[in-house]
Amino acid sequence: MAHDHRHHEGQHGHHHHHGGSNIKVAFFLNLGFTLLEIIGGIWINSVAILSDALHDLGDSLSLGLAWYFENVAKRGRDQKYTFGYKRFTLLGAVINSVVLLVGSFFILSEAVPRIWDPQEVHAPGMIAFAILGVIVNGAAVLRLKSGSSLNERVVRLHLMEDVLGWAAVLVGGIILYFFDLPWIDPLLSVVITLYVLYNVVRNLRQTMNILLQGSPSHIKPEAVEAKLQEMPEINSVHDLHIWTLDGAYNVLTVHAVATSALPLHQAEELKKKVRSAMAAMDIQHVTIELESPGEECSHEGSL
């Protein structure tokens, strides 16, 4: 993700700096393995492997988009996007979720009928692919472990699901090797797909909350209001809005009525105090309008 801008320009954090390169490595790992998987899944005749191939294809697409949007998000603010490009990472998360939703329904339509009409599967090939799958996806997960952007979290979650999926395929392959239970393969496919669907829907809800400018789940507006009103210099607050640009960079705008008319230097001190208190609540960008007692505000009681 982009730098962590505090309210004042020039204070940069560099903890998101490697997001793009981590995603790039995971992208090439995933794409190469996906192509191998599609060929292998057809050869082995395993719908479980093909279901993982489709999810991996979705992941490859999302990794490519995440890599691109992660780089776009690093651009600073300009005349067109005055808040910068941080929000572009959300596009990757949305497109990725939609791809996985469509892919999941396609896989279910293929796998469910096979439970009642199972086909013969090449078990040793299934075991070999599953081991390779755990290794490749595990390496990609480790590569993204330090990422903190929503995009990196979403991608890491998908890759983690793939590791679990391959572990399940491995177990299924071992069962098929020793026992003649061909329905195990499509059943595994359905279980993997439903698990992925559950997580995609959960992530999509989180992304939509950000796009619709909902308050971040860990920051309660009433707690922010209470914190501000604890300050002896502040009588009341109104027109309080909290939202997040990308799931990591949080923004607050608020009008605060001072207990008395403050001279300029005291008003500055109060603003610094407010910004410091809000930084402790994980709010990085604060815009505060101070009002004198009795001053009429056109925003009070409005949006």
Side-chain angles (χ1 to χ4, degrees), residues 26-89:
F27 167 70
F28 285 114
L29 261 177
N30 221 255
L31 185 63
F33 185 60
T34 299
L35 299 173
L36 193 65
E37 252 179 304
I38 292 168
I39 298 160
I42 294 165
W43 168 58
I44 294 162
N45 194 29
S46 166
V47 77
I49 285 180
L50 283 172
S51 76
D52 255 318
L54 190 72
H55 288 139
D56 275 353
L57 187 63
D59 285 346
S60 296
L61 174 65
S62 72
L63 282 162
L65 287 168
W67 175 22
Y68 172 71
F69 288 128
E70 208 68 42
N71 287 325
V72 169
K74 288 192 175 96
R75 295 178 198 166
R77 61 182 74 179
D78 57 25
Q79 291 297 308
K80 190 173 183 185
Y81 296 104
T82 56
F83 264 112
Y85 287 75
K86 288 173 182 287
R87 231 164 218 228
F88 274 69
T89 58

Side-chain angles (χ1 to χ4, degrees), residues 111-159:
V112 172
R114 275 211 193 192
I115 294 173
W116 287 275
D117 183 24
Q119 298 180 18
E120 209 52 53
V121 177
H122 187 270
M126 194 171 167
I127 292 167
F129 255 97
I131 292 168
L132 195 59
V134 169
I135 293 167
V136 172
N137 286 288
V141 169
L142 289 174
R143 184 78 206 206
L144 288 173
K145 205 173 175 197
S146 59
S148 59
S149 74
L150 183 70
N151 218 349
E152 285 177 284
R153 285 207 302 271
V154 168
V155 168
R156 189 171 63 236
L157 178 75
H158 290 160
L159 292 170

Side-chain angles (χ1 to χ4, degrees), residues 95-106 196-197 200-201 204:
I95 294 167
N96 168 33
S97 297
V98 170
V99 167
L100 285 176
L101 279 174
V102 173
S104 295
F105 287 119
F106 171 75
V196 171
L197 264 178
V200 167
V201 170
L204 204 49

Side-chain angles (χ1 to χ4, degrees), residues 7 12 19 33 35 48 69 74 138-139 185 195 201 203 209 246 277:
H7 191 69
H12 293 292
F33 185 60
L35 299 173
F69 288 128
K74 288 192 175 96
D185 179 64
Y195 177 69
V201 170
N203 274 318
N209 185 59
D246 57 2

Side-chain angles (χ1 to χ4, degrees), residues 226-303:
K227 186 79 177 170
L228 292 172
Q229 289 187 332
E230 275 174 17
M231 297 180 184
E233 303 93 334
I234 294 175
N235 187 35
S236 64
V237 298
H238 58 272
D239 196 36
L240 184 145
H241 304 282
I242 306 168
W243 71 97
T244 180
L245 278 181
D246 57 2
Y249 186 87
N250 305 312
V251 182
L252 165 73
T253 64
V254 64
H255 288 218
V257 180
T259 44
S260 60
L262 297 173
L264 198 58
H265 71 280
Q266 283 185 11
E268 281 301 312
E269 285 304 312
L270 178 55
K271 285 178 183 178
K272 281 183 191 167
K273 191 175 166 183
V274 166
R275 289 204 174 96
S276 173
M278 294 302 98
M281 294 183 83
D282 196 30
I283 297 172
Q284 289 78 19
H285 190 109
V286 179
T287 304
I288 178 168
E289 183 167 331
L290 284 178
E291 295 169 8
S292 302
E295 184 182 328
E296 196 175 319
C297 175
S298 59
H299 289 293
E300 194 162 8
S302 69
L303 266 180

